[in-house]
Amino acid sequence: MKSKAVVAHELNKLAVEEVEIDDPKAGEVLVKIGATGVCHSDLSVLNGTIPMAMPMVLGHEGAGVIEKLGEGVTNVEVGDHVVLSFVPTCGECYFCERGEHHFCSVGAPNGMMFDGTSRVHLGDRDLFTMQFLGCMSEYSVVPAISVVKIDKNIPFEQAALVGCGVMTGAGAAIKTAEVQPGSTVAVFGCGGVGLSTVQGARIAGAGTIIAVDLNEDKLALAKEFGATHTVNASDDPVGPVREITGGIGVDYSFEVIGVPSVMAQAYAAARRGGTVCIVGLGKLTETVPLNAMLLSVEGKKTIGSFYGNANFRVDMPMFLDLYKSGKLDLDRMITKTYGIDEALKAFEDLESGVNARGVIVYE
Ligand SMILES: [Zn+2]
Ligand SMILES: [Zn+2]
């Protein structure tokens, strides 16, 4: 079948193309996509920060309806609404057996399906798909173990956000760092993921939530989502963060941008014995210098958070329940929606940082 899709042809060359999509093979499903969030990681693939094979259909934060089942699929039915996970969960690998589903190692994320072939073609070329999903497309064939059924009453735009930004950001606060009630938190970086971390800290019951960013508009947004204090990072923000906590530093410090110097700030802002949680993705060539004496003396727990420690089949419906009960605000996370023909504009807006989240919606 034909489908319009957002294709990264080569570095920094993006186009909306009409691609040909095959039927799902065994263990796969065809999804009619309802909405796709435009995430910073899509841009990072396009500009080479995250190296991936091209030409690739982008998109890894999506929700939609199951249209067709491949052989042997039993976890969903045609007509089910689903959120897509950018990490499949096989349940059988080394990591899944240890309850670390977010590290599931089934298949190689090389842009092909598990059997090493592609379901998407442009002319006579096979296209790669991002994280087995490539869901910036009207239709996509994905592994059945990459989808979870959700409540049909939840709009696709809101549901899509849970597939990456919310799971990554709120998951870091609730699942990875396990923020405790009454604790003090600082969040460095208030884009879509950072705002989700602010929300996660609020849901977990943090008493003080300090949002740190260069952009006053984003700081104002962070306050709406639960920040109790804001610090503009145009001057060194570590002093002000420590001051707000009586000179002690925060219990939990999150870096949600992926910039080494900001990671060092997040480390410095945590109290002795506190937790430093790195959510942002820097470049593979970059390193973060840490003081060789204070690493021990200050006894901080420095932890990386990948995909918010997601067990997505449990956690994504959990976040959508929090949305339904009014505890997680997804409505105001969506600043703007775009048709697929406006995808290039959506990427421009992402780069200029005007949206909490831009979302592509389909007819
Ligand atoms: Zn993402
Ligand atoms: Zn696995």
Side-chain angles (χ1 to χ4, degrees):
M1 70 185 321
K2 300 250 181 270
S3 172
K4 276 189 189 170
V6 180
V7 179
H9 284 278
E10 53 190 74
L11 286 186
N12 300 313
K13 192 175 165 222
L14 193 68
V16 179
E17 303 282 4
E18 190 167 84
V19 299
E20 183 70 29
I21 308 236
D22 299 339
D23 274 346
K25 293 194 177 173
E28 301 171 354
V29 292
L30 173 70
V31 183
K32 182 179 194 302
I33 306 295
T36 314
V38 187
C39 173
H40 216 272
S41 298
D42 295 300
L43 181 63
S44 293
V45 171
L46 182 63
N47 67 25
T49 301
I50 302 176
M52 284 193 189
M54 293 186 184
M56 170 172 276
V57 180
L58 298 179
H60 63 283
E61 179 180 279
V65 188
I66 300 287
E67 282 266 311
K68 240 184 221 180
L69 303 180
E71 200 188 311
V73 173
T74 56
N75 62 323
V76 284
E77 290 169 14
V78 170
D80 281 352
H81 290 201
V82 293
V83 176
L84 314 181
S85 166
F86 72 72
V87 177
T89 290
C90 76
E92 294 171 354
C93 71
Y94 180 93
F95 296 100
C96 282
E97 282 189 332
R98 282 158 181 79
E100 297 173 16
H101 305 89
H102 55 300
F103 295 140
C104 177
S105 56
V106 67
N110 62 358
M112 289 290 168
M113 300 302 277
F114 296 155
D115 69 357
T117 63
S118 174
R119 304 291 167 269
V120 198
H121 318 280
L122 182 59
D124 53 8
R125 274 205 84 166
D126 291 340
L127 300 186
F128 298 96
T129 53
M130 187 170 176
Q131 296 295 126
F132 306 109
L133 301 182
C135 61
M136 219 169 258
S137 176
E138 293 168 310
Y139 292 88
S140 186
V141 170
V142 306
I145 59 170
S146 297
V147 307
V148 60
K149 185 180 169 180
I150 58 161
D151 186 333
K152 283 187 180 168
N153 295 320
I154 295 169
F156 291 123
E157 292 93 311
Q158 279 79 349
L161 299 190
V162 169
C164 175
V166 170
M167 189 66 243
T168 300
I174 294 171
K175 296 207 66 195
T176 312
E178 298 181 337
V179 167
Q180 295 298 304
S183 58
T184 55
V185 171
V187 179
F188 288 75
C190 296
V193 178
L195 291 172
S196 297
T197 304
V198 168
Q199 290 215 64
R202 190 198 70 230
I203 291 165
T208 300
I209 303 172
I210 307 165
V212 184
D213 203 286
L214 287 165
N215 182 325
E216 281 297 331
D217 293 341
K218 290 193 172 169
L219 290 175
L221 258 181
K223 277 212 141 175
E224 290 184 32
F225 286 112
T228 56
H229 300 72
T230 59
V231 171
N232 191 304
S234 49
D235 290 322
D236 186 359
V238 175
V241 169
R242 296 190 77 93
E243 217 168 274
I244 291 165
T245 53
I248 289 176
V250 289
D251 297 323
Y252 303 92
S253 189
F254 294 88
E255 201 278 355
V256 199
I257 314 176
V259 175
S261 60
V262 181
M263 292 177 187
Q265 288 173 349
Y267 185 85
R271 69 163 168 86
R272 211 171 170 186
T275 298
V276 186
C277 184
I278 305 298
V279 183
L281 276 185
K283 295 196 177 86
L284 201 51
T285 50
E286 293 173 328
T287 53
V288 185
L290 294 170
N291 185 288
M293 175 184 265
L294 298 182
L295 267 177
S296 162
V297 170
E298 294 198 324
K300 299 181 188 182
K301 292 172 274 297
T302 304
I303 53 178
S305 183
F306 176 68
Y307 212 0
N309 277 13
N311 178 357
F312 83 87
R313 286 190 200 132
V314 176
D315 296 334
M316 290 184 184
M318 179 269 289
F319 279 121
L320 291 173
D321 282 344
L322 287 169
Y323 167 65
K324 279 191 288 185
S325 65
K327 293 190 176 75
L328 176 69
D329 184 351
L330 298 177
D331 299 337
R332 282 188 302 175
M333 293 285 290
I334 303 163
T335 324
K336 195 167 175 197
T337 58
Y338 305 83
I340 188 159
D341 292 318
E342 302 169 299
L344 272 59
K345 169 74 175 144
F347 274 80
E348 275 172 32
D349 289 351
L350 174 74
E351 243 182 321
S352 60
V354 296
N355 294 334
R357 204 46 141 202
V359 178
I360 296 173
V361 293
Y362 307 84
E363 290 305 313

